Amino acid sequence: MHIYKNTGQSRIRDLRGVQRSMPLSSISDLELELDGEVLSLDRSTPRADVTFVSHAHMDHVPRRCSVPALASPLTFDVMRARTGREHVPAERTRFGSYTCRFLTSSHAPGATMLHVEGDGLTLTFTGDYCDQENAFGVRPEHVTCDVLVMDSTY
């Protein structure tokens, strides 16, 4: 598993080699490489095979509809209502030896975090995140992970 910022311009070493936290000035164009496949996080990137969409606020919705997306059903519905476009759903959550699953987020209706497990490592990407119950009674799901990538808290 590798993580890249700005479509590969600044590589953060193989996660086994990460020994300290590394602040990222901007989460945009963040990618995970999972056994040779590129998963972009909350925006499609030119190299992306799949895009994870944490929620349907427009600053997180992929620009390209042709790249398959991992998102909750409600996020797909809201993206369609906001953009008038159909986004292609990803048919799988496994990439080589890595498995992706959604965690509940309390940022917005349908919002999720992405938890990736494989090769003895775990990574969680929060997307926009709030650590409290929201107005709809949704509480965020907390997990233990080796690497935590956090977006803004609102």
Side-chain angles (χ1 to χ4, degrees), residues 12 26 57 69 71 75 79 99 118 141 151:
I12 301 170
S26 170
H57 290 164
T75 295
M79 284 193 302
T99 301
E141 187 176 349
D151 206 331

Side-chain angles (χ1 to χ4, degrees), residues 30-44:
L30 195 63
E31 300 173 336
L32 293 178
E33 187 176 309
L34 306 173
D35 284 345
E37 294 185 85
V38 177
L39 175 65
S40 63
L41 302 174
D42 267 349
R43 295 297 267 181
S44 59

Side-chain angles (χ1 to χ4, degrees), residues 66-104:
S66 59
V67 175
L70 284 174
S72 72
L74 182 53
T75 295
F76 273 110
D77 290 345
V78 176
M79 284 193 302
R80 184 175 37 259
R82 286 189 160 180
T83 66
R85 299 178 297 172
E86 290 288 333
H87 287 77
V88 177
E91 298 288 326
R92 62 202 169 103
T93 57
R94 187 163 184 85
F95 301 89
S97 61
Y98 296 94
T99 301
C100 299
R101 69 180 174 103
F102 296 141
L103 303 174
T104 304

